Protein backbone atom coordinates (compact mmCIF):
# COMPACT_ATOMS: atom_id res chain seq x y z
CA UNK A 1 0.00 0.00 0.00
CA UNK A 2 2.92 2.31 -0.40
CA UNK A 3 2.57 5.39 -2.52
CA UNK A 4 3.77 5.21 -6.09
CA UNK A 5 6.40 7.96 -6.27
CA UNK A 6 6.29 8.09 -10.05
CA UNK A 7 2.61 8.92 -10.10
CA UNK A 8 2.79 11.75 -7.57
CA UNK A 9 6.03 13.03 -9.06
CA UNK A 10 4.60 13.23 -12.57
CA UNK A 11 1.50 14.99 -11.34
CA UNK A 12 3.51 17.39 -9.23
CA UNK A 13 5.70 18.35 -12.19
CA UNK A 14 2.68 18.70 -14.41
CA UNK A 15 0.94 21.04 -12.04
CA UNK A 16 4.04 23.07 -11.33
CA UNK A 17 5.10 23.35 -14.95
CA UNK A 18 1.71 23.94 -16.52
CA UNK A 19 0.01 26.13 -13.98
CA UNK A 20 2.25 27.78 -11.47
CA UNK A 21 4.88 29.08 -13.88
CA UNK A 22 2.07 30.87 -15.73
CA UNK A 23 0.63 32.72 -12.73
CA UNK A 24 1.53 36.13 -14.18
CA UNK A 25 -0.12 35.21 -17.49
CA UNK A 26 -3.29 34.09 -15.72
CA UNK A 27 -3.40 37.29 -13.68
CA UNK A 28 -2.97 39.36 -16.81
CA UNK A 29 -5.71 37.37 -18.56
CA UNK A 30 -8.03 37.94 -15.62
CA UNK A 31 -7.34 41.68 -15.55
CA UNK A 32 -7.89 41.84 -19.30
CA UNK A 33 -11.19 40.03 -18.85
CA UNK A 34 -12.27 42.59 -16.24
CA UNK A 35 -11.38 45.43 -18.61
CA UNK A 36 -13.12 44.00 -21.68
CA UNK A 37 -16.11 43.00 -19.58
CA UNK A 38 -16.36 46.55 -18.23
CA UNK A 39 -16.38 47.84 -21.83
CA UNK A 40 -19.48 45.67 -22.41
CA UNK A 41 -18.85 45.18 -26.12
CA UNK A 42 -21.03 42.54 -27.86
CA UNK A 43 -18.07 41.36 -29.96
CA UNK A 44 -16.09 40.44 -26.87
CA UNK A 45 -19.13 38.79 -25.32
CA UNK A 46 -19.71 36.58 -28.37
CA UNK A 47 -16.03 35.65 -28.61
CA UNK A 48 -15.99 34.79 -24.89
CA UNK A 49 -19.00 32.53 -25.28
CA UNK A 50 -17.32 30.61 -28.12
CA UNK A 51 -14.01 30.22 -26.27
CA UNK A 52 -15.63 29.22 -22.98
CA UNK A 53 -17.89 26.69 -24.71
CA UNK A 54 -14.95 25.05 -26.50
CA UNK A 55 -12.87 24.96 -23.32
CA UNK A 56 -15.69 23.38 -21.32
CA UNK A 57 -16.23 20.77 -24.06
CA UNK A 58 -12.55 19.82 -23.87
CA UNK A 59 -12.70 19.64 -20.09
CA UNK A 60 -15.74 17.36 -20.31
CA UNK A 61 -13.76 15.18 -22.72
CA UNK A 62 -11.04 14.51 -20.14
CA UNK A 63 -12.93 15.02 -16.86
CA UNK A 64 -14.27 11.52 -16.23
CA UNK A 65 -11.08 9.74 -17.43
CA UNK A 66 -9.08 11.93 -15.01
CA UNK A 67 -11.30 10.97 -12.09
CA UNK A 68 -11.54 7.29 -13.07
CA UNK A 69 -7.84 6.61 -13.62
CA UNK A 70 -6.85 8.75 -10.62
CA UNK A 71 -9.04 6.67 -8.32
CA UNK A 72 -8.19 3.28 -9.83
CA UNK A 73 -4.44 3.88 -10.00
CA UNK A 74 -4.45 5.01 -6.35
CA UNK A 75 -6.79 2.43 -4.85
CA UNK A 76 -5.57 -0.56 -6.88
CA UNK A 77 -2.06 0.07 -5.58
CA UNK A 78 -3.19 -0.84 -2.10
CA UNK A 79 -1.22 -4.07 -2.09
CA UNK A 80 -2.12 -7.39 -0.53
CA UNK A 81 -4.60 -6.75 2.27
CA UNK A 82 -3.37 -9.76 4.26
CA UNK A 83 0.19 -8.42 4.46
CA UNK A 84 -0.89 -5.07 5.84
CA UNK A 85 -3.81 -6.28 7.93
CA UNK A 86 -3.04 -4.42 11.12
CA UNK A 87 -1.53 -1.14 9.99
CA UNK A 88 -3.52 -0.93 6.78
CA UNK A 89 -6.88 -1.49 8.45
CA UNK A 90 -6.11 1.08 11.15
CA UNK A 91 -4.99 3.71 8.64
CA UNK A 92 -8.01 3.07 6.44
CA UNK A 93 -10.38 3.20 9.41
CA UNK A 94 -9.18 6.56 10.68
CA UNK A 95 -8.91 7.95 7.15
CA UNK A 96 -12.50 7.08 6.34
CA UNK A 97 -13.85 8.31 9.67
CA UNK A 98 -12.03 11.65 9.66
CA UNK A 99 -12.72 12.30 5.95
CA UNK A 100 -16.42 11.51 6.30
CA UNK A 101 -16.60 13.79 9.33
CA UNK A 102 -14.86 16.56 7.38
CA UNK A 103 -17.33 16.24 4.48
CA UNK A 104 -20.28 16.12 6.89
CA UNK A 105 -19.12 19.26 8.67
CA UNK A 106 -18.67 20.96 5.30
CA UNK A 107 -22.23 20.09 4.25
CA UNK A 108 -23.62 21.23 7.60
CA UNK A 109 -21.84 24.57 7.38
CA UNK A 110 -22.86 25.05 3.78
CA UNK A 111 -26.51 24.53 4.67
CA UNK A 112 -26.18 26.71 7.78
CA UNK A 113 -24.38 29.65 6.15
CA UNK A 114 -26.38 29.19 2.93
CA UNK A 115 -24.20 31.42 0.71
CA UNK A 116 -26.76 31.44 -2.11
CA UNK A 117 -29.74 32.25 0.13
CA UNK A 118 -31.63 29.07 -0.78
CA UNK A 119 -34.45 27.85 1.41
CA UNK A 120 -33.44 24.64 3.15
CA UNK A 121 -36.92 24.10 4.58
CA UNK A 122 -38.40 24.16 1.08
CA UNK A 123 -35.83 21.59 -0.10
CA UNK A 124 -36.53 19.41 2.95
CA UNK A 125 -40.30 19.44 2.36
CA UNK A 126 -39.78 18.45 -1.28
CA UNK A 127 -37.37 15.70 -0.20
CA UNK A 128 -39.90 14.25 2.28
CA UNK A 129 -42.53 14.12 -0.45
CA UNK A 130 -40.31 12.53 -3.11
CA UNK A 131 -38.00 10.20 -1.14
CA UNK A 132 -40.33 7.20 -1.14
CA UNK A 133 -40.76 7.46 -4.90
CA UNK A 134 -37.27 8.40 -6.07
CA UNK A 135 -34.98 6.68 -3.55
CA UNK A 136 -34.60 3.55 -5.66
CA UNK A 137 -34.12 5.68 -8.78
CA UNK A 138 -31.02 7.28 -7.25
CA UNK A 139 -29.44 3.90 -6.53
CA UNK A 140 -30.57 2.44 -9.86
CA UNK A 141 -28.67 5.17 -11.74
CA UNK A 142 -25.47 4.35 -9.86
CA UNK A 143 -25.04 0.87 -11.37
CA UNK A 144 -24.31 1.11 -15.13
CA UNK A 145 -25.57 -1.43 -17.64
CA UNK A 146 -22.29 -1.32 -19.58
CA UNK A 147 -18.69 -0.30 -19.02
CA UNK A 148 -18.85 2.75 -21.29
CA UNK A 149 -22.26 4.00 -20.14
CA UNK A 150 -20.93 6.27 -17.32
CA UNK A 151 -18.58 7.95 -19.78
CA UNK A 152 -21.28 8.34 -22.43
CA UNK A 153 -23.83 9.84 -20.03
CA UNK A 154 -21.25 11.68 -17.85
CA UNK A 155 -22.74 10.01 -14.78
CA UNK A 156 -20.24 10.81 -12.02
CA UNK A 157 -21.79 8.56 -9.37
CA UNK A 158 -21.93 5.62 -11.78
CA UNK A 159 -18.30 6.18 -12.74
CA UNK A 160 -17.26 6.25 -9.06
CA UNK A 161 -19.02 2.92 -8.52
CA UNK A 162 -17.18 1.46 -11.51
CA UNK A 163 -13.82 2.78 -10.26
CA UNK A 164 -14.35 1.31 -6.78
CA UNK A 165 -15.44 -2.04 -8.23
CA UNK A 166 -12.39 -2.17 -10.50
CA UNK A 167 -10.03 -1.21 -7.68
CA UNK A 168 -11.40 -3.87 -5.33
CA UNK A 169 -11.17 -6.48 -8.08
CA UNK A 170 -7.54 -5.61 -8.81
CA UNK A 171 -6.59 -5.77 -5.11
CA UNK A 172 -8.07 -9.28 -4.87
CA UNK A 173 -5.93 -10.63 -7.74
CA UNK A 174 -2.63 -12.46 -7.43
CA UNK A 175 0.41 -10.19 -6.91
CA UNK A 176 1.66 -10.64 -10.48
CA UNK A 177 -1.61 -9.62 -12.13
CA UNK A 178 -2.24 -6.89 -9.55
CA UNK A 179 1.15 -5.34 -10.20
CA UNK A 180 0.70 -5.42 -13.98
CA UNK A 181 -2.77 -3.88 -13.85
CA UNK A 182 -1.76 -1.20 -11.37
CA UNK A 183 1.14 -0.25 -13.64
CA UNK A 184 -1.28 -0.08 -16.57
CA UNK A 185 -3.76 2.16 -14.74
CA UNK A 186 -0.93 4.30 -13.44
CA UNK A 187 0.38 4.74 -17.00
CA UNK A 188 -3.11 5.56 -18.26
CA UNK A 189 -3.46 8.17 -15.53
CA UNK A 190 -0.14 9.72 -16.60
CA UNK A 191 -1.31 9.76 -20.24
CA UNK A 192 -4.61 11.42 -19.35
CA UNK A 193 -2.77 13.99 -17.24
CA UNK A 194 -0.50 14.73 -20.20
CA UNK A 195 -3.62 15.23 -22.33
CA UNK A 196 -4.93 17.55 -19.63
CA UNK A 197 -1.70 19.56 -19.76
CA UNK A 198 -2.33 20.19 -23.46
CA UNK A 199 -5.84 21.44 -22.75
CA UNK A 200 -4.67 23.64 -19.89
CA UNK A 201 -2.28 25.47 -22.19
CA UNK A 202 -5.45 27.30 -23.23
CA UNK A 203 -6.11 28.33 -19.63
CA UNK A 204 -5.12 32.03 -20.10
CA UNK A 205 -7.57 32.36 -22.98
CA UNK A 206 -10.24 30.54 -20.96
CA UNK A 207 -9.64 32.79 -17.94
CA UNK A 208 -10.11 35.87 -20.12
CA UNK A 209 -13.35 34.54 -21.60
CA UNK A 210 -14.80 33.41 -18.26
CA UNK A 211 -13.93 36.65 -16.45
CA UNK A 212 -15.23 38.73 -19.37
CA UNK A 213 -18.56 36.87 -19.29
CA UNK A 214 -18.70 37.06 -15.51
CA UNK A 215 -18.12 40.84 -15.42
CA UNK A 216 -20.67 41.50 -18.15
CA UNK A 217 -23.24 39.35 -16.37
CA UNK A 218 -22.44 40.74 -12.93
CA UNK A 219 -25.24 42.75 -11.37
CA UNK A 220 -24.63 44.60 -8.12
CA UNK A 221 -22.71 43.09 -5.21
CA UNK A 222 -24.82 39.97 -4.71
CA UNK A 223 -22.34 37.60 -6.39
CA UNK A 224 -19.41 39.04 -4.42
CA UNK A 225 -21.32 38.52 -1.17
CA UNK A 226 -22.11 34.94 -2.14
CA UNK A 227 -18.45 34.33 -2.98
CA UNK A 228 -17.36 35.68 0.42
CA UNK A 229 -19.83 33.39 2.19
CA UNK A 230 -18.59 30.45 0.11
CA UNK A 231 -15.00 31.12 1.17
CA UNK A 232 -16.17 31.42 4.79
CA UNK A 233 -17.78 27.96 4.54
CA UNK A 234 -14.51 26.38 3.43
CA UNK A 235 -12.28 28.14 5.95
CA UNK A 236 -14.60 27.54 8.92
CA UNK A 237 -15.06 23.87 7.98
CA UNK A 238 -11.29 23.36 7.93
CA UNK A 239 -10.80 25.26 11.19
CA UNK A 240 -13.37 23.03 12.92
CA UNK A 241 -11.80 19.88 11.49
CA UNK A 242 -8.23 20.86 12.40
CA UNK A 243 -8.95 22.66 15.68
CA UNK A 244 -11.76 20.58 17.16
CA UNK A 245 -12.36 17.19 15.52
CA UNK A 246 -8.76 15.98 15.17
CA UNK A 247 -7.72 17.19 18.66
CA UNK A 248 -10.69 15.27 20.11
CA UNK A 249 -9.40 12.11 18.42
CA UNK A 250 -5.93 12.74 19.85
CA UNK A 251 -7.26 13.37 23.36
CA UNK A 252 -9.26 10.14 23.18
CA UNK A 253 -5.96 8.30 22.69
CA UNK A 254 -4.25 10.16 25.51
CA UNK A 255 -2.17 12.57 23.41
CA UNK A 256 -1.76 16.31 23.81
CA UNK A 257 -2.93 18.09 20.63
CA UNK A 258 -0.73 21.09 21.44
CA UNK A 259 2.39 18.97 21.92
CA UNK A 260 1.68 17.00 18.75
CA UNK A 261 1.19 20.18 16.72
CA UNK A 262 4.35 21.73 18.17
CA UNK A 263 6.51 18.78 17.10
CA UNK A 264 4.82 18.56 13.69
CA UNK A 265 5.19 22.30 13.07
CA UNK A 266 8.13 22.03 10.59
CA UNK A 267 6.14 19.65 8.37
CA UNK A 268 3.03 21.82 8.63
CA UNK A 269 5.08 24.85 7.58
CA UNK A 270 6.47 23.06 4.53
CA UNK A 271 2.98 21.90 3.55
CA UNK A 272 1.58 25.43 3.93
CA UNK A 273 4.15 27.21 1.82
CA UNK A 274 4.75 24.30 -0.58
CA UNK A 275 1.00 23.72 -1.10
CA UNK A 276 1.67 19.99 -1.13
CA UNK A 277 1.46 17.19 1.41
CA UNK A 278 3.81 15.19 -0.83
CA UNK A 279 6.50 17.85 -0.52
CA UNK A 280 6.15 17.74 3.26
CA UNK A 281 6.35 13.93 3.49
CA UNK A 282 10.07 13.60 4.43
CA UNK A 283 9.66 16.19 7.16
CA UNK A 284 6.41 14.56 8.32
CA UNK A 285 8.16 11.21 8.80
CA UNK A 286 11.00 12.82 10.75
CA UNK A 287 8.64 14.80 12.98
CA UNK A 288 6.44 11.75 13.62
CA UNK A 289 9.45 9.75 14.77
CA UNK A 290 10.29 12.57 17.19
CA UNK A 291 6.79 12.16 18.60
CA UNK A 292 7.66 8.58 19.48
CA UNK A 293 6.01 6.90 16.51
CA UNK A 294 7.84 3.73 15.50
CA UNK A 295 9.89 4.18 12.37
CA UNK A 296 8.18 1.37 10.46
CA UNK A 297 4.76 2.76 11.35
CA UNK A 298 5.66 6.31 10.32
CA UNK A 299 7.20 5.18 7.04
CA UNK A 300 4.15 3.02 6.30
CA UNK A 301 1.28 5.21 7.51
CA UNK A 302 2.35 8.66 6.34
CA UNK A 303 2.91 7.79 2.64
CA UNK A 304 -0.50 6.12 2.59
CA UNK A 305 -2.12 9.07 4.37
CA UNK A 306 -0.45 11.45 1.92
CA UNK A 307 -2.21 9.51 -0.83
CA UNK A 308 -5.66 8.92 0.62
CA UNK A 309 -6.17 11.02 3.79
CA UNK A 310 -7.46 14.35 2.42
CA UNK A 311 -9.82 15.84 5.01
CA UNK A 312 -9.59 19.38 3.67
CA UNK A 313 -9.98 18.22 0.10
CA UNK A 314 -13.26 16.46 0.90
CA UNK A 315 -14.64 19.68 2.41
CA UNK A 316 -13.49 21.77 -0.55
CA UNK A 317 -14.91 19.41 -3.18
CA UNK A 318 -18.31 19.16 -1.51
CA UNK A 319 -18.75 22.89 -0.87
CA UNK A 320 -17.35 23.96 -4.24
CA UNK A 321 -19.43 21.54 -6.31
CA UNK A 322 -22.65 22.45 -4.50
CA UNK A 323 -21.93 26.20 -4.62
CA UNK A 324 -20.92 26.42 -8.28
CA UNK A 325 -23.63 24.00 -9.45
CA UNK A 326 -26.41 25.73 -7.51
CA UNK A 327 -25.17 29.11 -8.71
CA UNK A 328 -25.77 27.80 -12.24
CA UNK A 329 -29.30 26.69 -11.43
CA UNK A 330 -28.67 23.02 -10.61
CA UNK A 331 -31.05 21.81 -7.90
CA UNK A 332 -30.06 19.20 -5.29
CA UNK A 333 -32.46 17.34 -3.06
CA UNK A 334 -31.46 16.71 0.54
CA UNK A 335 -30.78 13.10 -0.33
CA UNK A 336 -28.48 14.09 -3.17
CA UNK A 337 -26.58 16.44 -0.87
CA UNK A 338 -26.06 13.62 1.62
CA UNK A 339 -24.88 11.38 -1.22
CA UNK A 340 -22.27 14.01 -2.04
CA UNK A 341 -20.69 13.34 1.37
CA UNK A 342 -19.79 9.90 0.08
CA UNK A 343 -18.76 11.20 -3.33
CA UNK A 344 -16.51 13.87 -1.82
CA UNK A 345 -14.98 11.28 0.53
CA UNK A 346 -14.18 8.86 -2.30
CA UNK A 347 -12.88 11.68 -4.52
CA UNK A 348 -10.65 13.00 -1.73
CA UNK A 349 -9.24 9.51 -1.12
CA UNK A 350 -8.44 9.15 -4.83
CA UNK A 351 -7.01 12.65 -5.16
CA UNK A 352 -3.23 13.11 -5.36
CA UNK A 353 -1.57 15.17 -2.62
CA UNK A 354 -0.25 17.81 -5.01
CA UNK A 355 -0.85 21.54 -5.55
CA UNK A 356 -4.35 22.35 -6.85
CA UNK A 357 -5.39 18.69 -6.71
CA UNK A 358 -8.74 19.51 -5.04
CA UNK A 359 -9.41 22.31 -7.52
CA UNK A 360 -8.75 20.04 -10.49
CA UNK A 361 -10.97 17.30 -9.04
CA UNK A 362 -13.80 19.79 -8.42
CA UNK A 363 -13.53 21.20 -11.94
CA UNK A 364 -13.63 17.65 -13.34
CA UNK A 365 -16.84 16.89 -11.43
CA UNK A 366 -18.48 20.14 -12.52
CA UNK A 367 -17.43 19.67 -16.13
CA UNK A 368 -18.78 16.14 -16.09
CA UNK A 369 -22.09 17.49 -14.76
CA UNK A 370 -22.22 20.05 -17.57
CA UNK A 371 -22.04 23.02 -15.19
CA UNK A 372 -20.57 26.28 -16.56
CA UNK A 373 -17.14 26.94 -15.02
CA UNK A 374 -17.09 30.75 -15.07
CA UNK A 375 -17.57 31.00 -11.31
CA UNK A 376 -14.94 28.32 -10.69
CA UNK A 377 -12.40 30.44 -12.57
CA UNK A 378 -13.36 33.43 -10.41
CA UNK A 379 -12.56 31.26 -7.38
CA UNK A 380 -9.10 30.48 -8.79
CA UNK A 381 -7.29 33.59 -7.41
CA UNK A 382 -8.60 32.83 -3.91
CA UNK A 383 -7.63 29.17 -4.17
CA UNK A 384 -3.94 30.00 -3.79
CA UNK A 385 -4.53 30.78 -0.10
CA UNK A 386 -7.10 28.03 0.32
CA UNK A 387 -4.65 25.46 -1.09
CA UNK A 388 -1.95 26.51 1.38
CA UNK A 389 -4.32 26.17 4.32
CA UNK A 390 -5.78 22.87 3.09
CA UNK A 391 -2.33 21.31 2.58
CA UNK A 392 -1.41 22.11 6.18
CA UNK A 393 -4.71 20.67 7.42
CA UNK A 394 -4.16 17.48 5.42
CA UNK A 395 -0.65 16.99 6.85
CA UNK A 396 -2.00 17.68 10.35
CA UNK A 397 -4.64 15.00 9.78
CA UNK A 398 -1.96 12.60 8.47
CA UNK A 399 0.04 13.13 11.65
CA UNK A 400 -2.98 12.56 13.88
CA UNK A 401 -3.93 9.36 12.07
CA UNK A 402 -0.34 8.06 12.26
CA UNK A 403 -0.08 8.79 15.98
CA UNK A 404 -3.36 6.99 16.65
CA UNK A 405 -2.38 4.02 14.49
CA UNK A 406 0.91 3.72 16.36
CA UNK A 407 -0.97 3.81 19.68
CA UNK A 408 -3.34 1.05 18.57
CA UNK A 409 -0.47 -1.17 17.44
CA UNK A 410 1.28 -0.72 20.77
CA UNK A 411 -1.92 -1.64 22.61
CA UNK A 412 -2.34 -4.74 20.44
CA UNK A 413 1.24 -5.81 21.13
CA UNK A 414 0.64 -5.44 24.86
CA UNK A 415 -2.56 -7.48 24.67
CA UNK A 416 -0.81 -10.22 22.69
CA UNK A 417 2.03 -10.28 25.20
CA UNK A 418 -0.41 -10.56 28.10
CA UNK A 419 -2.32 -13.33 26.36
CA UNK A 420 0.85 -15.26 25.60
CA UNK A 421 2.09 -14.75 29.16
CA UNK A 422 -1.22 -16.06 30.47
CA UNK A 423 -1.00 -19.10 28.19
CA UNK A 424 2.55 -19.84 29.41
CA UNK A 425 1.47 -19.48 33.02
CA UNK A 426 -1.51 -21.79 32.52
CA UNK A 427 0.67 -24.33 30.73
CA UNK A 428 3.21 -24.34 33.56
CA UNK A 429 0.43 -24.69 36.15
CA UNK A 430 -1.05 -27.63 34.24
CA UNK A 431 2.31 -29.36 34.01
CA UNK A 432 2.86 -28.92 37.77
CA UNK A 433 -0.57 -30.36 38.57
CA UNK A 434 0.16 -33.38 36.38
Amino acid sequence: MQKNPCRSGRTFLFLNGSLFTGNSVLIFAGLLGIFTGWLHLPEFYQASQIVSDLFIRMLKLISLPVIFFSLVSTLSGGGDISTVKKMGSSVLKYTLVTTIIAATIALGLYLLIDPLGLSLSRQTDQFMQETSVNLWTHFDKVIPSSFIEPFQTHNVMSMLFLALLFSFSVICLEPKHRSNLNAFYDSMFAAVMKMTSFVLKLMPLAVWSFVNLFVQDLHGQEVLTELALYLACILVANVIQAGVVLPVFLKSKGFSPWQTARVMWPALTIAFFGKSSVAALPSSVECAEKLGVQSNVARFSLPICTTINMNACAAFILITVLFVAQSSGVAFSTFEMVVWIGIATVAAIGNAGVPMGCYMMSSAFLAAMGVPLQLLVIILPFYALIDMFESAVNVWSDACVTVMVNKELQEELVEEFVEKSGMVANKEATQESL
Side-chain angles (χ1 to χ4, degrees):
M1 289 186 67
Q2 290 187 348
K3 183 176 180 63
N4 188 329
C6 297
R7 173 176 179 260
S8 62
R10 282 195 300 267
T11 311
F12 182 74
L13 291 175
F14 151 71
L15 288 169
N16 276 335
S18 297
L19 294 178
F20 286 93
T21 57
N23 270 346
S24 58
V25 178
L26 294 178
I27 293 173
F28 175 77
L31 294 175
L32 182 62
I34 294 175
F35 175 72
T36 55
W38 177 76
L39 292 177
H40 205 74
L41 296 176
E43 294 81 6
F44 286 138
Y45 191 84
Q46 184 177 6
S48 297
Q49 285 183 319
I50 295 174
V51 171
S52 62
D53 181 64
L54 291 175
F55 188 74
I56 290 173
R57 289 174 66 88
M58 287 187 289
L59 278 181
K60 290 181 67 175
L61 173 67
I62 62 175
S63 58
L64 286 189
V66 166
I67 300 173
F68 179 80
F69 288 114
S70 174
L71 289 172
V72 176
S73 63
T74 298
L75 300 179
S76 65
D80 189 352
I81 297 178
S82 62
T83 62
V84 292
K85 181 178 179 181
K86 293 182 179 179
M87 286 190 287
S89 61
S90 295
V91 171
L92 183 60
K93 175 182 67 176
Y94 285 118
T95 292
L96 285 174
V97 170
T98 56
T99 307
I100 291 174
I101 291 175
T104 304
I105 291 174
L107 178 60
L109 278 172
Y110 181 81
L111 296 176
L112 178 64
I113 296 177
D114 195 11
L116 296 173
L118 302 176
S119 174
L120 177 61
S121 59
R122 175 164 48 84
Q123 293 178 0
T124 304
D125 292 340
Q126 181 182 6
F127 166 68
M128 295 299 293
Q129 295 172 3
E130 297 179 355
T131 298
S132 59
V133 179
N134 294 332
L135 187 60
W136 169 248
T137 303
H138 287 286
F139 288 106
D140 184 52
K141 292 180 179 179
V142 171
I143 302 178
S145 58
S146 68
F147 179 83
I148 62 175
E149 180 182 337
F151 299 93
Q152 287 181 325
T153 60
H154 285 277
N155 189 326
V156 178
M157 294 175 59
S158 183
M159 185 279 306
L160 288 174
F161 171 81
L162 192 62
L164 290 174
L165 185 62
F166 253 75
S167 301
F168 179 76
S169 302
V170 172
I171 291 175
C172 294
L173 294 176
E174 296 180 358
K176 177 183 177 181
H177 299 300
R178 184 174 63 248
S179 175
N180 292 336
L181 282 174
N182 180 247
F184 168 75
Y185 288 125
D186 191 57
S187 299
M188 289 298 296
F189 175 75
V192 173
M193 290 301 285
K194 178 60 67 174
M195 187 188 305
T196 306
S197 69
F198 297 149
V199 174
L200 290 181
K201 290 183 182 297
L202 301 175
M203 179 65 83
L205 188 60
V207 168
W208 169 78
S209 64
F210 288 146
V211 173
N212 180 76
L213 290 173
F214 178 80
V215 172
Q216 292 203 37
D217 293 338
L218 185 62
H219 299 288
Q221 300 297 318
E222 183 179 354
V223 175
L224 298 179
T225 301
E226 294 171 353
L227 186 60
L229 292 175
Y230 153 79
L231 295 173
C233 288
I234 292 178
L235 293 177
V236 174
N238 282 319
V239 167
I240 293 175
Q241 181 72 12
V244 179
V245 175
L246 294 175
V248 167
F249 273 97
L250 286 177
K251 292 288 288 185
S252 68
K253 292 295 183 179
F255 293 98
S256 167
W258 170 251
Q259 177 67 14
T260 304
R262 189 181 67 82
V263 177
M264 291 298 302
W265 190 254
L268 299 178
T269 303
I270 294 174
F272 184 83
F273 289 104
K275 303 178 184 179
S276 170
S277 52
V278 172
L281 182 57
S283 179
S284 298
V285 173
E286 182 180 355
C287 294
E289 292 176 350
K290 291 181 180 178
L291 278 170
V293 177
Q294 298 179 31
S295 178
N296 63 322
V297 176
R299 297 177 187 276
F300 177 88
S301 175
L302 286 170
I304 297 176
C305 287
T306 300
T307 306
I308 66 175
N309 187 44
M310 302 286 180
N311 291 181
C313 189
F316 178 85
I317 290 174
L318 187 143
I319 293 175
T320 300
V321 169
L322 292 181
F323 176 73
V324 176
Q326 287 186 326
S327 296
S328 301
V330 178
F332 294 94
S333 68
T334 306
F335 174 76
E336 289 170 332
M337 289 186 177
V338 173
V339 168
W340 268 100
I341 293 177
I343 295 176
T345 299
V346 174
I349 289 175
N351 181 53
V354 297
M356 291 193 72
C358 304
Y359 185 90
M360 293 298 298
M361 188 67 74
S362 300
S363 63
F365 276 124
L366 290 166
M369 294 165 62
V371 175
L373 302 182
Q374 290 92 329
L375 187 55
L376 190 64
V377 176
I378 301 300
I379 294 171
L380 183 59
F382 301 97
Y383 186 74
L385 178 60
I386 294 175
D387 197 17
M388 297 169 74
F389 188 54
E390 288 181 342
S391 297
V393 172
N394 286 334
V395 171
W396 170 236
S397 178
D398 295 346
C400 294
V401 168
T402 300
V403 167
M404 292 186 291
V405 168
N406 185 71
K407 178 71 172 180
E408 280 196 357
L409 291 176
Q410 290 178 341
E411 292 174 348
E412 289 181 6
L413 289 175
V414 171
E415 291 178 359
E416 290 178 1
F417 177 78
V418 171
E419 290 179 359
K420 290 181 179 179
S421 298
M423 291 176 61
V424 171
N426 291 334
K427 182 178 180 180
E428 291 178 351
T430 302
Q431 290 177 344
E432 289 180 0
S433 62
L434 291 175

